[in-house]
Amino acid sequence: MIAELESGIPRHQARLLANEVLTSPEAAEEIRELTLELDDPDFQFEPGQSIAVIVPGPHELGHAEHVRFYTIADAPLPHKGKPVVEICVRRCEYLDEFSGERYEGVASKYLCELEKGAELTLAGPVGLAFEVPEDRTANLLLIGLGTGIAPFRAFLRHIYRNLGGWEGQVLLFHGARTGLELVYMNDHRNDITEYVDEETFRAIEALSPRPHWNEPPALEDALKAHEEEVWRLLQQPGTWTYVAGIAEVRDMLDRVLSEFAGSEQEWARRKAELVAGGRWTEILY
């Protein structure tokens, strides 16, 4: 999520406590977790919200600052002293279509190469939080790709750790190009597996069938393999759906769920009902 920073959003000074690689050394992508300590003792956030990282310039086109938003990857906890947040950062590269040259992402390069103890400027929090249903028997359908797992990690920690558990069904669909790029679900960091002993939680992985050909994760196939269950959940008044990751996920979901519903019109109607009822939330970039 890259955007101009609106006036009125509070800024905070922070210090880098840790900069850890989450993916395997053999992975095609480098994804890191940064742990940041904020100077403001009153800083508060909710699961699903983001924090802006402000990269000092000057930058191209004369910009004094470069701003990049990252979803906070941990649940809020009561704290004594300075609050701490974690963000998930993928090292990005961009290909110039005219010159063929590759350029590193400004914010990801800045963050991935920060050393422990570095000072940086943040702003926020911003964005709509993942609203947690008051009814703990509600079903939760979580769908995301890549670093889209970050808000779900925070959400799962919140409902199982802060709230003490969840009685409704919690179904997570998450994927990456290969198992080496799975975040919080690999040999280095297996945070999500701490919930597999919960009777209400289940995670379904979606990997690319042909990663060497740069085919995307087979999230569509994973959803279709569980069509009956997914559509049953979406029909129930007690189901809340949360979507996170790249913007293309929305188009894929609309296409697949239109098939489940029998037509684009029927899915559009059902989705409108979910949105109007506050039971469909998207964090896309």
Side-chain angles (χ1 to χ4, degrees):
M1 293 175 284
I2 304 174
E4 295 292 331
L5 191 63
E6 297 179 5
S7 60
I9 297 178
R11 295 195 175 203
H12 313 276
Q13 293 306 118
R15 183 170 65 91
L16 180 63
L17 298 182
N19 190 342
E20 178 186 356
V21 179
L22 295 178
T23 46
S24 166
E26 294 79 26
E29 290 189 340
E30 177 186 339
I31 301 176
R32 290 178 170 266
E33 178 187 80
L34 276 69
T35 305
L36 306 168
E37 179 185 69
L38 287 84
D39 285 346
D40 183 1
D42 297 322
F43 178 84
Q44 296 182 358
F45 68 95
E46 296 181 61
Q49 288 192 298
S50 299
I51 193 83
V53 174
I54 301 171
V55 184
H59 298 284
E60 289 187 44
L61 305 179
H63 293 158
E65 299 176 337
H66 180 88
V67 180
R68 176 69 157 80
F69 291 94
Y70 292 91
T71 307
I72 299 172
D74 198 7
L77 282 176
H79 60 272
K80 296 180 179 180
K82 297 180 179 180
V84 172
V85 299
E86 296 170 344
I87 59 174
C88 205
V89 179
R90 179 173 64 89
R91 188 184 287 272
C92 299
E93 284 189 344
Y94 301 95
L95 179 66
D96 188 306
E97 296 181 356
F98 297 100
S99 67
E101 294 187 57
R102 290 189 176 274
Y103 297 93
E104 293 184 276
V106 174
S108 69
K109 175 179 171 61
Y110 170 73
L111 290 170
C112 288
E113 297 179 1
L114 274 183
E115 296 184 358
K116 181 179 178 180
E119 302 287 334
L120 65 162
T121 303
L122 308 176
V126 298
L128 297 175
F130 276 163
E131 183 178 353
V132 181
E134 294 183 4
D135 182 3
R136 295 195 186 187
T137 66
N139 300 314
L140 308 177
L141 181 58
L142 317 177
I143 304 171
L145 285 177
T147 54
I149 193 67
F152 294 146
R153 176 183 183 249
F155 196 59
L156 291 169
R157 283 192 166 190
H158 180 63
I159 65 174
Y160 285 116
R161 184 178 64 186
N162 294 359
L163 300 183
W166 200 258
E167 298 174 33
Q169 182 178 356
V170 182
L171 184 59
L172 168 66
F173 285 89
H174 174 61
R177 203 172 61 88
T178 72
L180 298 174
E181 279 90 41
L182 284 173
V183 181
Y184 298 123
M185 298 175 71
N186 58 34
D187 292 340
H188 289 271
R189 288 288 296 275
N190 239 343
D191 298 40
I192 302 301
T193 59
E194 68 182 274
Y195 308 113
V196 297
D197 292 333
E198 299 283 350
E199 294 183 1
T200 58
F201 175 73
R202 188 153 53 102
I204 297 170
E205 295 179 1
L207 304 177
S208 170
R210 291 179 287 191
H212 298 298
W213 292 10
N214 288 324
E215 286 196 13
L219 182 58
E220 181 173 344
D221 293 340
L223 289 165
K224 288 182 177 179
H226 297 81
E227 175 180 352
E228 183 176 342
E229 182 177 15
V230 170
W231 189 242
R232 175 179 56 80
L233 287 173
L234 288 171
Q235 293 300 299
Q236 294 180 0
T239 297
W240 297 57
T241 302
Y242 308 84
V243 182
I246 58 176
E248 289 82 353
V249 171
R250 178 197 290 125
D251 296 335
M252 182 277 295
L253 276 178
D254 284 338
R255 182 176 65 254
V256 172
L257 296 178
S258 292
E259 293 181 20
F260 293 1
S263 70
E264 292 182 6
Q265 293 75 17
E266 181 60 24
W267 167 239
R269 182 193 64 79
R270 181 58 184 151
K271 184 177 181 180
E273 292 174 348
L274 294 170
V275 172
R279 294 190 290 116
W280 182 281
T281 303
E282 297 178 352
I283 298 178
L284 301 174
Y285 53 87

